[in-house]
Amino acid sequence: MQLTPLFTLIGRALVRTVLMLWLVASVTFLAIRALPGNPVDVWVQELQGTGLSAEDAREQATRLLKIDVDQPLWTQYLDYLGNLARGDLGDSVILSPGTPVTDMLGERLLWTLFSISFALVIGFLIGLYLGSLAAYRRGTWVDRLITNVSALMSSIPAVLLGIVLTFCVGVAWDLVPIQSLRGAYSPDVQPGFDLDFILSALAHVIAPGIVYILVSFGTWALVMRSNALSVLADDHVGQARARGLSERTIRVAFVQRNARLPLITGFAISMGFVVSGSVLVERIFVYPGVGQLLADALARRDYTVMQGVVVATTITVLLATAIADALYGWLDPRTRIEQHA
């Protein structure tokens, strides 16, 4: 069996992944340091509030934070890459001094995945169903309604929808006690695998979950409609009808299978952008996920946390892309590598 082509593809994929990770890490390093202010300046401002002079505050901040922002940029860059190569994202210097960034990410990532993953899956399934329905009812009022609503919802930014939803449901109409649903669970509930905690966590995830569902299903519905219409126009569908196959068989075996194939791989890639897409929504609902962590780190110029979140996001996107490629090859035999004995 010839494995050389397979090893070549795997090697190229690894090289591309490493280069992409290095590029993103380097751009992030430079972009963060181009922002006005730094961790030492933030800490100095807080220390000066205690009555210290600017010089004493800066000296104390440099000693406490164990960071020297006056080092040459290339020295900081080489130290950063060296730590990154060892899998060390460093410790937080402002938000939680001395706490490893990996620990902070691990704790917050669970909440982000919990709040977004189920919502994205539900939005994806709704989009597939509505897109298929619109394609089968092409030209009818059902098609026009689904298409227009999907186009409208896909064009609304998640942050805007979150603000409108919060105002209408929680303030103007007073239907939901939105203030008490902020955070990941109620303050009077102890975390643990019991019914009270599970119900509280589910209640607090409803608001951001609805936002993610509403902003995501429209895109999938429009793409599914377009793909289904393209498949319906193919010759093999006409041949299937000529052979006397039922419309249900044609829909399931021909149309839906081929139309949803590109969407499944696209959904796998979109899961990699879970973190980056959660920043503003989690900020609105004060949800303790990775997006909220990144927003706090940006506000207080915590270099290591900002770098860690971006690197973690990049890794998830790269992994999701690799999984999508493998998934597409598994679902569509035409794209698989032909191996000859």
Side-chain angles (χ1 to χ4, degrees):
M1 182 178 296
Q2 296 180 356
L3 297 178
T4 302
L6 179 61
F7 288 150
T8 300
L9 289 176
I10 294 176
R12 290 177 179 176
L14 289 175
V15 170
R16 286 196 303 267
T17 300
V18 172
L19 289 177
M20 183 62 68
L21 183 59
W22 166 78
L23 178 61
V24 172
S26 300
V27 171
T28 301
F29 175 86
L30 296 174
I32 288 175
R33 281 154 182 79
L35 294 172
N38 57 62
V40 173
D41 292 337
V42 173
W43 200 266
V44 165
Q45 292 177 2
E46 296 181 0
L47 291 177
Q48 281 188 288
T50 63
L52 289 176
S53 64
E55 293 77 9
D56 293 340
R58 188 171 186 83
E59 180 181 352
Q60 185 174 345
T62 302
R63 184 176 66 255
L64 290 174
L65 299 180
K66 299 178 181 179
I67 183 174
D68 186 5
V69 294
D70 295 327
Q71 274 187 330
L73 191 62
W74 65 270
T75 303
Q76 298 182 46
Y77 177 67
L78 292 179
D79 291 341
Y80 166 62
L81 288 183
N83 293 332
L84 186 61
R86 295 192 298 270
D88 182 10
L89 297 178
D91 299 336
S92 172
V93 295
I94 292 290
L95 296 180
S96 182
T99 303
V101 175
T102 51
D103 293 346
M104 300 175 69
L105 286 173
E107 179 182 355
R108 299 294 191 98
L109 186 60
L110 293 176
W111 289 114
T112 295
L113 293 176
F114 176 66
S115 66
I116 296 181
S117 298
F118 290 112
L120 290 182
V121 171
I122 294 174
F124 178 71
L125 295 178
I126 292 175
L128 291 186
Y129 173 76
L130 293 180
S132 300
L133 181 61
Y136 298 142
R137 303 290 182 85
R138 182 181 183 182
T140 65
W141 68 269
V142 175
D143 178 25
R144 291 191 292 271
L145 177 62
I146 293 176
T147 302
N148 292 331
V149 172
S150 298
L152 175 63
M153 299 309 301
S154 62
S155 63
I156 300 177
V159 60
L160 178 60
L161 184 60
I163 294 173
V164 172
L165 183 66
T166 302
F167 175 78
C168 293
V169 177
V171 179
W173 301 333
D174 197 21
L175 298 177
V176 177
I178 202 73
Q179 291 289 342
S180 62
L181 294 180
R182 295 194 171 190
Y185 51 88
S186 300
D188 57 342
V189 175
Q190 292 296 327
F193 291 100
D194 55 75
L195 184 60
D196 290 340
F197 175 72
I198 294 174
L199 292 178
S200 179
L202 289 175
H204 283 70
V205 83
I206 288 177
I210 290 176
V211 172
Y212 295 130
I213 291 174
L214 292 178
V215 299
S216 63
F217 85 87
T219 300
W220 301 120
L222 293 175
V223 177
M224 182 63 183
R225 177 184 181 276
S226 176
N227 291 350
L229 290 176
S230 177
V231 174
L232 284 170
D234 287 345
D235 293 337
H236 68 274
V237 174
Q239 294 172 359
R241 287 196 177 103
R243 293 201 302 269
L245 295 179
S246 65
E247 283 296 321
R248 185 179 183 280
T249 302
I250 293 174
R251 291 179 183 180
V252 175
F254 291 90
V255 180
Q256 291 186 2
R257 180 180 179 182
N258 293 327
R260 68 176 179 235
L261 182 59
L263 276 79
I264 293 176
T265 56
F267 175 75
I269 295 176
S270 70
M271 290 297 292
F273 292 90
V274 161
V275 174
S276 59
S278 66
V279 176
L280 296 176
V281 174
E282 289 184 355
R283 190 73 169 175
I284 293 173
F285 295 103
V286 198
Y287 198 81
V290 178
Q292 174 76 3
L293 178 64
L294 178 58
D296 293 339
L298 283 168
R300 303 196 64 191
R301 298 296 185 267
D302 195 325
Y303 282 180
T304 51
V305 174
M306 285 190 283
Q307 293 168 171
V309 172
V310 174
V311 169
T313 303
T314 303
I315 292 175
T316 57
V317 171
L318 293 175
L319 288 176
T321 303
I323 293 174
D325 290 339
L327 187 63
Y328 195 90
W330 177 66
L331 293 173
D332 189 352
R334 295 171 299 180
T335 63
R336 297 175 187 172
I337 301 174
E338 294 183 2
Q339 299 181 5
H340 303 282

